[in-house]
Amino acid sequence: MAVVGRFAPSPSGRIHLGNIFCSLLAWLSARQQGGRVVLRIEDLDTARCPRRYAEQMERDLQWLGLAWDEGPGVGGLHGPYEQSARTALYQAALARLEEQGLVYPCFCTRAELHAASAPHREDGQVIYPGTCARLTAEEALRRAKETGRAPALRLRVPDERISFTDGHMGPYGENLLQECGDFLLRRSDGMFAYQLAVVVDDAAMAVTEVVRGEDLLSSTPRQLYLYRLLDLPAPAFFHVPLLLTHDGRRLSKRNADAGLDDLQGRYTAAEILGKLAYLGGFNPGAGPRTAEALLEDFAWDKVPAADIPIPEGLF
């Protein structure tokens, strides 16, 4: 089977070094296997992801030499390539899950869940305690009238450990009921959740390899469960370490950390990629390298598994 990798950035601001690092690894992994790359714009939250940010992101990736074979500006068989234009596909998948009797309305707000005594994961996420899981149709109607808002929709999960072997991080698994709880498919404002959209899109776009940040590793068992329910082929997953500031904080668009708007004024694309490849263990020094040149040295077993602090003064 031909390898199909993808970039799937969320255009909520200018990309930073962490976004570039992940995109570089995805590009190198697919290209080294003679595969293709798809670019998909994950703009489900249209208020946070205006089109001008997506257009800037596309220019940035082109400037870096990380071109794609299918996606915005290129076209292809699986468009549209913006999630905001793919809601009909998500609605169809939701209907299939509803037919299986696995979807129910939830009236809990995020604030209520955090304020309640619901269990929390180590990363601070609430493990949904099933508050609305047993509401009857009459009770749900009454709650809707009382709250004056539409409910979110949640997926019932099994008391089952779903495991897989990550191509970079190794074996990983979670018991969905105990470590996650019933999770959102659609928010109360009608926006489809990331977990459903990414599964539908990767399957529809024939993606065979997903390379993304380690912070999304815990999402994978939920997505594998959705692949199973929707009878869709799951891709191989490779989760990569996050880049950290020299004092140990995760890079953030919100904090304007190591953004390309600043870096572009000080470095060439080859200098940025060379330094990132050095951090990733597949450039012997921090000297400039193009993406094409890095193909000869890239290997997954060279990339660290632990998060990578950016040494002070490297950028």
Side-chain angles (χ1 to χ4, degrees):
M1 180 183 296
V3 172
V4 180
R6 49 84 151 169
F7 310 144
S10 178
S12 56
R14 197 78 184 270
I15 58 174
H16 56 55
L17 286 175
N19 308 134
I20 301 168
F21 182 63
C22 190
S23 296
L24 174 62
L25 294 181
W27 190 92
L28 289 170
S29 184
R31 288 282 191 260
Q32 198 177 66
Q33 300 172 79
R36 300 167 55 252
V37 176
V38 176
L39 173 63
R40 182 174 70 242
I41 304 300
E42 298 204 334
D43 60 348
L44 285 170
D45 191 341
T46 53
R48 294 181 60 246
C49 301
R51 182 59 198 161
R52 68 180 185 277
Y53 285 171
E55 291 169 349
Q56 180 63 62
M57 187 170 291
E58 292 161 26
R59 290 192 295 270
D60 288 343
L61 289 170
Q62 292 281 12
W63 180 79
L64 288 161
L66 301 177
W68 53 96
D69 305 292
E70 183 180 340
V74 176
L77 300 175
H78 306 107
Y81 295 96
E82 297 80 23
Q83 286 189 327
S84 57
R86 299 176 62 84
T87 53
L89 293 172
Y90 312 146
Q91 185 60 51
L94 176 63
R96 289 187 62 186
L97 298 170
E98 289 175 325
E99 289 169 2
Q100 298 177 55
L102 295 173
V103 180
Y104 64 88
C106 175
F107 296 89
C108 303
T109 66
R110 182 179 299 180
E112 288 168 346
L113 289 173
H114 280 279
S117 56
H120 286 64
R121 296 161 52 107
E122 289 183 3
D123 58 10
Q125 294 184 44
V126 173
I127 300 172
Y128 186 68
T131 308
C132 296
R134 287 167 292 280
L135 291 179
T136 65
E138 293 76 16
E139 289 170 333
L141 183 60
R142 178 175 55 80
R143 289 291 302 274
K145 290 180 178 178
E146 289 173 352
T147 61
R149 64 176 183 270
L153 297 177
R154 287 187 183 271
L155 180 71
R156 299 182 193 276
V157 300
D159 187 0
E160 172 189 349
R161 184 172 179 82
I162 294 183
S163 302
F164 74 106
T165 299
D166 186 81
H168 185 54
M169 295 294 183
Y172 182 83
E174 285 189 2
N175 181 298
L176 292 183
L177 186 64
Q178 298 175 18
E179 299 176 70
C180 168
D182 299 341
F183 59 88
L184 288 176
L185 297 174
R186 195 177 71 191
R187 297 186 344 188
S188 60
D189 61 3
M191 184 188 302
F192 283 95
Y194 165 78
Q195 308 294 355
L196 180 63
V198 74
V199 165
V200 170
D201 287 342
D202 280 340
M205 295 177 181
V207 171
T208 66
E209 181 177 282
V210 169
V211 177
R212 60 189 182 187
E214 181 272 336
D215 54 330
L216 292 171
L217 179 64
S218 64
S219 293
T220 310
R222 281 169 272 178
Q223 291 165 23
L224 290 172
Y225 182 50
L226 283 169
Y227 279 111
R228 182 206 303 178
L229 294 176
L230 294 169
D231 195 25
L232 297 172
F237 291 93
F238 291 75
H239 288 82
V240 304
L242 303 181
L243 297 187
L244 310 177
T245 61
H246 66 272
D247 57 358
R249 183 171 48 79
R250 291 183 177 183
L251 300 183
S252 164
K253 291 177 187 173
R254 182 176 302 173
N255 295 328
D257 289 321
L260 192 58
D261 48 352
D262 173 57
L263 295 168
Q264 223 171 12
R266 297 188 288 124
Y267 302 103
T268 65
E271 287 173 328
I272 292 172
L273 296 184
K275 291 173 185 291
L276 288 175
Y278 171 69
L279 293 176
F282 52 94
N283 191 11
R289 301 284 296 279
T290 64
E292 288 284 349
L294 287 167
L295 284 168
E296 63 183 284
D297 291 319
F298 173 74
W300 278 110
D301 60 6
K302 296 179 181 179
V303 180
D307 289 346
I308 305 170
I310 300 173
E312 195 166 9
L314 182 64
F315 284 97

